[in-house]
Amino acid sequence: QVQLVESGGGLVQAGGSLRLSCTASGFTFSTHAMGWFRQAPGKEREFVARITRSGGGKYYEDSVKGRFTISRDNAKNTVYLQMNSLKPEDTAVYYCAADRATFDGRGWSNDGEYEYWGQGTPVTVSS
């Protein structure tokens, strides 16, 4: 069974920090780029951060640059999102997702189409 389980969400004051974790099982974690997304009430789900297979490439939505850090530990099948200087507008349900992985003669490839998703963990930032 493919499973992504997020944890670490909760209620925090503006300016505070929170560390989200997402642990994967049921697929080969190290072949997938991973991403974090969020969805606020009444809004569409939006991209937050992405990390490549070995962790060498990291990409962020503009509003979280300098505040959030994505990382991964392939030995633990886990991706993290460290969230600092939190703002009320960061309030949302946060989801992790795995970019689909394909293999050909050149090796593994990830194309930005996320095929596995977690259940989400809620983050509420109070003013």
Side-chain angles (χ1 to χ4, degrees):
Q1 177 185 357
V2 170
Q3 192 171 49
L4 295 172
V5 180
E6 300 98 333
S7 62
L11 175 65
V12 65
Q13 291 283 105
S17 297
L18 211 56
R19 183 176 175 87
L20 307 183
S21 299
C22 172
T23 299
S25 60
F27 65 98
T28 305
F29 181 77
S30 62
T31 67
H32 295 260
M34 298 295 296
W36 284 97
F37 295 77
R38 66 188 180 187
Q39 187 168 24
K43 299 180 65 177
E44 295 182 344
R45 183 159 57 191
E46 67 173 350
F47 167 79
V48 176
R50 174 183 174 88
I51 188 167
T52 55
R53 290 185 297 276
S54 64
K58 299 177 181 180
Y59 310 91
Y60 300 95
E61 193 275 324
D62 286 344
S63 70
V64 308
K65 287 180 180 177
R67 300 189 298 121
F68 291 9
T69 303
I70 189 170
S71 62
R72 68 190 294 163
D73 186 341
N74 285 348
K76 297 180 178 179
N77 286 356
T78 301
V79 61
Y80 305 94
L81 186 68
Q82 178 67 46
M83 308 163 68
N84 298 329
S85 301
L86 283 162
K87 304 174 180 180
E89 55 261 43
D90 295 317
T91 295
V93 177
Y94 283 72
Y95 301 88
C96 70
D99 192 345
R100 68 180 178 183
T102 58
F103 187 86
D104 60 17
R106 297 179 292 105
W108 290 102
S109 179
N110 310 122
D111 61 6
E113 298 294 326
Y114 294 87
E115 65 175 338
Y116 305 137
W117 294 82
Q119 82 291 341
T121 186
V123 171
T124 301
V125 184
S126 61
S127 60

